[in-house]
Amino acid sequence: MNSPPSTVETRLLATAEQLAGGNNSLPPAPWVHPHLEQGVVPVKGRQLRASHAIRKGELLLVDVPYAVIPVVDDPASSDSLLCSSPACSRPTQRSSGRIACPKHCIADVVWCSPACQEFDEVRHRFECTWLQRYATPVRAKWGEYDFGMLWLIVRILASRQGELHHAVGHVDQTNPRFQGGWDAIQAFCGSTESWSHAQIRSWTALVKKYLRSGPALLHDLTADEIVALICREEANSFGLYPRETGVFPVPEPAVDRGDQYGAAVYPRAAIANHSCCPNIMHKPDHQGRMVFTASRDIAAGEECCISYFDLTKRVDLKSRRDHLQGLFRFVCGCDRCTAEEPSDAESDWVGLPFVE
């Protein structure tokens, strides 16, 4: 009689079908496949790589967000508004009696239960005064995108503050080579040299007006350090969508990934680089944890890549490259793009882990 599989073997056999079965089918997060490793290569920098062969459908990574915000058009009518407690982050229903901030900072802040509200009390206190003071004027003057970016930075700072206060270690015990916590955020790619001078000037103005340390936002970082943090956040944050990103080949009929309902920063998932023919599908679970699954067999030594955008939306070479170069500042030279080039074209790939 065969002995039962070990814990690691059980995790290796986790499949995309099992992920649909609910929370119990996932290993404790954060979790990294034993055959997934980090590497560093010239030009591209960090990458995820398979140390041994990985089968299609295997679970590769489950990462918890360091910070997450909801992204909805109308919080009052949305059934996708996320619970503000970082230990929950579940979509809340209008009919479920969700709880608003007692100080009425913004309608986007809700909790799904009194327990979540109590758990989140200290963290939310960090952001509440800032939201009361700045949410409305930032949205009116700068728009939703810049407000969301600033709010995500504030929530990153809140997580950093909690980490420093509690002196909590964030090393993934499954694979200690994968950092977590503030140390991982500091290690993200992206710097002031990654962006145009005009963009850096714009972010600097926002930081000096809205993110300086003061009564509404207490922290110990300089304005230059906050600008550098924005550069890393903008290069590494994930949009949260209800369906998988990176299904390739694109099925017929094509099904897009749906409407964005959140944005988050993940310490480990951010290591993944882009390919227009990715071997990883990614999707947040119902608690906002980012889940990577192998979408095809992956050979030992092969880089493990995600797609930074919805592959159903940009099909031809020019639209993909224009999007990546315009938004993420690199020209894609993945196998698919290279194969689709005119024979006399030259490729210059500078692929950084910037995720839409």
Side-chain angles (χ1 to χ4, degrees), residues 205-228:
L206 287 170
V207 168
K208 289 181 177 179
K209 188 168 182 64
Y210 302 113
L211 293 180
R212 282 185 180 275
S213 181
L217 189 68
L218 293 173
H219 61 80
D220 60 357
L221 299 182
T222 66
D224 286 345
E225 288 172 326
I226 297 293
V227 172

Side-chain angles (χ1 to χ4, degrees), residues 3-324:
S3 59
S6 67
T7 302
V8 169
E9 288 171 335
T10 301
R11 288 170 173 172
L12 286 172
L13 295 173
T15 65
E17 287 75 17
Q18 287 174 311
L19 298 184
N23 194 36
N24 293 334
S25 61
L26 289 174
W31 182 84
V32 180
H33 193 297
H35 295 167
L36 200 63
E37 63 182 12
Q38 286 190 70
V40 178
V41 294
V43 182
K44 290 175 67 176
R46 298 191 302 172
Q47 63 173 206
L48 291 178
R49 188 170 54 212
S51 61
H52 297 76
I54 295 173
R55 298 200 306 270
K56 177 181 178 179
E58 287 191 34
L59 179 65
L60 297 180
L61 178 146
V62 182
D63 201 6
V64 294
Y66 193 72
V68 59
I69 62 167
V71 177
V72 298
D73 291 332
D74 182 9
S77 64
S78 174
D79 284 329
S80 298
L81 192 58
L82 300 176
C83 176
S84 287
S85 173
C88 180
S89 296
R90 291 180 172 89
T92 61
Q93 304 293 314
R94 288 171 292 170
S95 60
S96 63
R98 57 193 182 193
I99 302 168
C101 172
K103 295 185 177 181
H104 307 287
C105 57
I106 56 173
D108 309 67
V109 171
V110 296
W111 296 273
C112 65
S113 69
C116 278
Q117 182 184 22
E118 181 179 0
F119 181 88
D120 194 38
E121 180 181 0
V122 173
R123 189 213 58 80
H124 179 60
R125 191 185 309 142
F126 183 91
E127 71 179 359
C128 189
T129 302
W130 184 87
L131 289 170
Q132 290 178 70
R133 181 173 297 183
Y134 293 124
T136 298
V138 170
R139 280 172 153 161
K141 183 174 182 178
W142 298 90
E144 282 298 317
Y145 184 88
D146 282 337
F147 167 71
M149 178 191 72
L150 294 177
W151 188 16
L152 189 53
I153 292 295
V154 169
R155 287 199 161 179
I156 291 171
L157 294 174
S159 292
R160 175 181 180 268
Q161 191 75 6
E163 186 179 333
L164 294 173
H165 183 263
H166 296 291
V168 177
H170 286 262
V171 176
D172 178 4
Q173 298 302 320
T174 302
N175 193 330
R177 290 173 296 171
F178 286 82
Q179 285 182 311
W182 178 247
D183 289 343
I185 306 301
Q186 291 284 79
F188 281 176
C189 74
S191 68
T192 53
E193 296 178 356
S194 307
W195 307 92
S196 69
H197 293 306
Q199 184 64 80
I200 296 300
R201 285 196 300 272
S202 176
W203 287 341
T204 300
L206 287 170
V207 168
K208 289 181 177 179
K209 188 168 182 64
Y210 302 113
L211 293 180
R212 282 185 180 275
S213 181
L217 189 68
L218 293 173
H219 61 80
D220 60 357
L221 299 182
T222 66
D224 286 345
E225 288 172 326
I226 297 293
V227 172
L229 176 58
I230 290 176
C231 291
R232 292 193 296 275
E233 176 274 319
E234 286 293 283
N236 293 275
S237 58
F238 282 72
L240 305 185
Y241 297 85
R243 291 185 287 276
E244 290 85 355
T245 299
V247 178
F248 185 81
V250 176
E252 289 291 344
V255 178
D256 65 29
R257 60 184 177 178
D259 295 328
Q260 183 178 1
Y261 63 87
V265 172
Y266 297 91
R268 302 158 189 83
I271 299 170
N273 289 317
H274 168 82
S275 172
C276 295
C277 50
N279 49 19
I280 296 175
M281 297 183 299
H282 68 276
K283 176 182 178 296
D285 72 359
H286 68 291
Q287 286 185 272
R289 300 177 299 186
M290 186 53 64
V291 180
F292 283 6
T293 307
S295 56
R296 61 170 173 80
D297 291 344
I298 302 172
E302 185 178 352
E303 184 175 6
C304 300
C305 293
I306 62 175
S307 173
Y308 290 178
F309 58 82
D310 189 338
L311 293 171
T312 69
K313 299 296 188 182
R314 295 172 179 87
V315 178
D316 63 278
L317 174 65
K318 185 179 186 305
S319 66
R320 298 196 310 268
R321 280 189 165 170
D322 286 351
H323 176 71
L324 291 166

